[in-house]
Amino acid sequence: MAEKSSQPRRNLANEILARLRADIISGIFKPGEALGEPVLARRFGVSRGPVREAMIELERAGLVQFEPTGRTRVRTMEEKDIAEVIEARVALEAMGARLAAIRWSGEHSRWMEENLAAQERAVGVTEFRKLDAAMHEHIMQCGGNQRLEALWQTIRWQFEMALASVDRLQGRQATDLHRFAIEGHRKVLEALAAREPGAAAGLMAWHITSTLEWTVPGIADNLHQLPAFSGVPGLGDWRTSGALSSGAEANEKQTALKKHHRTRRA
């Protein structure tokens, strides 16, 4: 009798899912582009079954949409979609940071420091965004609430897609956005390491919301009133707060960003 192979059985649908997801997030497949099952099956050298399974998972993740005609297209992230995704992140990740601060340890801080150092060295958008998402996932895991983390995972790929799209639109300014994000990450780490749940929640909300303002200037006018911000004494409206920069510097950044977006839309 032949011995059973010790090699795990390949899951073609999962392999195709991972490759398609990476191609969508990276922009190889453009927003609105049609994804035909026969074409993709030929591309991957498989039958249409695994491709169909991958498409179903991509639709559940919010990366593609099925049309009444039967076509599948890459989802286009409008300003409203981006705003809703980041509002959901504020709600989930502020609580995640609050819980993580209660359970935080020196080992968690060391992991974060290594990740932040890698973010500083990152070359290119793809590498930076992988490290960014891994850091946020780490904090959610440290919170110890599996249900909260599962809810976060349901929108993870949507915000990765949105942020990658923003990086491409920002062009050269994406480097500034990355530096700004790293500053926010360090402030969150300070609050976590100090084991201050309210400050960690508020600074996480600040960090995520400031990303939204880089993305869609003016759309976050009222988000600073959310309960997540109440844990940071004196934080107030994050756009004029000194949490990461002086009020004058923040206002200068906002003026430049709004001008940049108006130019792109013209």
Side-chain angles (χ1 to χ4, degrees):
M1 182 180 293
E3 293 184 5
K4 292 184 178 180
S5 173
S6 60
Q7 294 294 324
R9 183 178 178 182
R10 291 180 64 191
N11 188 319
L12 290 176
N14 283 347
E15 291 180 19
I16 294 169
L17 170 63
R19 292 170 66 179
L20 287 175
R21 186 169 58 207
D23 287 348
I24 290 171
I25 291 173
S26 67
I28 292 176
F29 289 121
K30 308 297 182 187
E33 184 174 343
L35 299 175
E37 287 183 11
V39 175
L40 292 173
R42 288 194 296 273
R43 175 186 176 185
F44 294 118
V46 299
S47 66
R48 291 176 61 175
V51 174
R52 188 174 301 111
E53 289 182 47
M55 288 296 190
I56 291 171
E57 291 303 317
L58 289 170
E59 195 274 338
R60 287 174 179 166
L63 300 187
V64 304
Q65 56 190 29
F66 298 146
E67 297 181 341
T69 58
R71 282 191 174 188
T72 303
R73 293 189 183 276
V74 177
R75 183 178 293 278
T76 299
M77 300 291 282
E78 305 291 349
E79 288 185 357
K80 180 177 182 295
D81 298 314
I82 295 172
E84 288 183 356
V85 167
I86 298 184
E87 286 169 0
R89 286 190 66 193
V90 168
L92 295 170
E93 294 197 44
M95 177 57 74
R98 185 181 295 274
L99 294 173
I102 297 171
R103 300 169 172 84
W104 202 256
S105 69
E107 184 178 349
H108 296 146
S109 288
R110 285 189 290 275
W111 188 98
M112 282 275 290
E113 289 289 0
E114 291 176 4
N115 179 274
L116 286 169
Q119 288 183 35
E120 295 277 8
R121 298 190 303 268
V123 178
V125 169
T126 301
E127 183 181 355
F128 177 82
R129 285 301 172 200
K130 284 183 178 179
L131 292 163
D132 184 2
M135 187 213 71
H136 284 271
E137 183 175 32
H138 178 72
I139 294 172
M140 294 300 294
Q141 291 173 343
C142 289
N145 187 317
Q146 294 181 353
R147 288 172 175 80
L148 192 69
E149 184 191 348
L151 289 170
W152 180 84
Q153 290 288 356
T154 63
I155 63 167
R156 172 186 182 156
W157 304 114
Q158 292 181 55
F159 73 71
E160 286 204 36
M161 179 184 183
L163 289 174
S165 176
V166 168
D167 284 331
R168 290 192 293 273
L169 287 173
Q170 293 284 352
R172 292 181 180 178
Q173 281 192 317
T175 301
D176 294 331
L177 175 54
H178 294 174
R179 291 198 194 100
F180 186 74
I182 292 170
E183 289 179 35
H185 295 160
R186 291 200 177 280
K187 288 295 181 182
V188 171
L189 174 56
E190 288 176 16
L192 290 168
R195 303 191 68 177
E196 297 180 359
L203 284 165
M204 179 63 82
W206 190 99
H207 164 61
I208 295 170
T209 307
S210 64
T211 301
L212 175 57
E213 186 69 7
W214 274 80
T215 308
V216 189
I219 204 167
D221 286 343
N222 298 316
L223 284 184
H224 67 278
Q225 300 176 23
L226 292 173
F229 288 90
S230 62
V232 186
L235 185 61
D237 187 338
W238 60 269
R239 290 166 300 170
T240 56
S241 168
L244 298 184
S245 59
S246 69
E249 289 173 331
N251 288 333
E252 185 179 342
K253 285 180 180 178
Q254 295 311 314
T255 300
L257 283 168
K258 289 178 182 180
K259 181 179 179 181
H260 172 70
H261 278 262
R262 283 197 298 270
T263 301
R264 283 196 171 274
R265 290 169 182 164

